[in-house]
Amino acid sequence: MTYDQMLERVRYEGAYPSRERAADAVRAVLSALGRQLTGDERVDLARRLPVEAALALTAAVPDTEQLTGWGFVKDLAARTGATPATTRWDTGAVLAAVAALTGPELLARILQQLPEGYALLFGQAQLRLPQPQPAAV
């Protein structure tokens, strides 16, 4: 997928009136995601993104504190000056396109690295395995 194709997909997913609005959302969301991802997942995701999108992802230095999915949205809203609802919409539109580019294996690795709440942002079900119950004494 080229960057132009990615912008068109985000524009469609987000129902944005212009490519410029879609590009703003892509830059903001990928920069915020770049602050959360580290290691091989960050490198592998950057390789699968169009160059312009990969630059937005990798330009941000990873934070030392990981945010939950909702924390991610609130932090991005504060940084951009948008409402949490608008930011949630932007995040979903961009990360749906990112999920299409990553493939299921890399997406699963990314979601394993990130705290709770990101699966829904990527348009995926938030599934959890049943936790073993402690043995009765």
Side-chain angles (χ1 to χ4, degrees):
M1 181 181 295
T2 67
Y3 187 64
D4 287 337
Q5 290 169 326
M6 182 180 187
L7 289 181
E8 282 305 313
R9 181 167 186 147
V10 170
R11 183 177 177 192
Y12 176 80
E13 292 285 337
Y16 298 121
S18 67
R19 287 174 52 96
E20 291 76 23
R21 177 65 182 91
D24 290 344
V26 167
R27 281 189 297 275
V29 172
L30 289 180
S31 178
L33 184 61
R35 289 190 293 275
Q36 297 300 305
L37 278 180
T38 59
D40 291 341
E41 289 73 23
R42 179 183 168 107
V43 172
D44 292 346
L45 177 57
R47 282 187 196 142
R48 298 211 184 154
L49 294 173
V51 172
E52 299 88 341
L55 290 173
L57 177 81
T58 58
V61 175
D63 287 341
T64 55
E65 177 186 343
Q66 281 195 314
L67 302 171
T68 64
W70 178 237
F72 176 87
V73 170
K74 290 192 307 186
D75 180 66
L76 183 54
R79 289 174 187 265
T80 61
T83 66
T86 299
T87 303
R88 171 59 182 93
W89 184 268
D90 292 347
T91 301
V94 173
L95 294 184
V98 169
L101 288 167
T102 62
E105 187 244 311
L106 177 55
L107 183 57
R109 288 179 26 224
I110 290 170
L111 292 174
Q112 284 178 335
Q113 183 186 116
L114 295 170
E116 183 177 330
Y118 282 86
L120 293 174
L121 297 177
F122 279 93
Q124 306 294 305
Q126 181 85 35
L127 301 176
R128 294 193 159 256
L129 297 174
Q131 299 297 316
Q133 297 298 318
V137 214

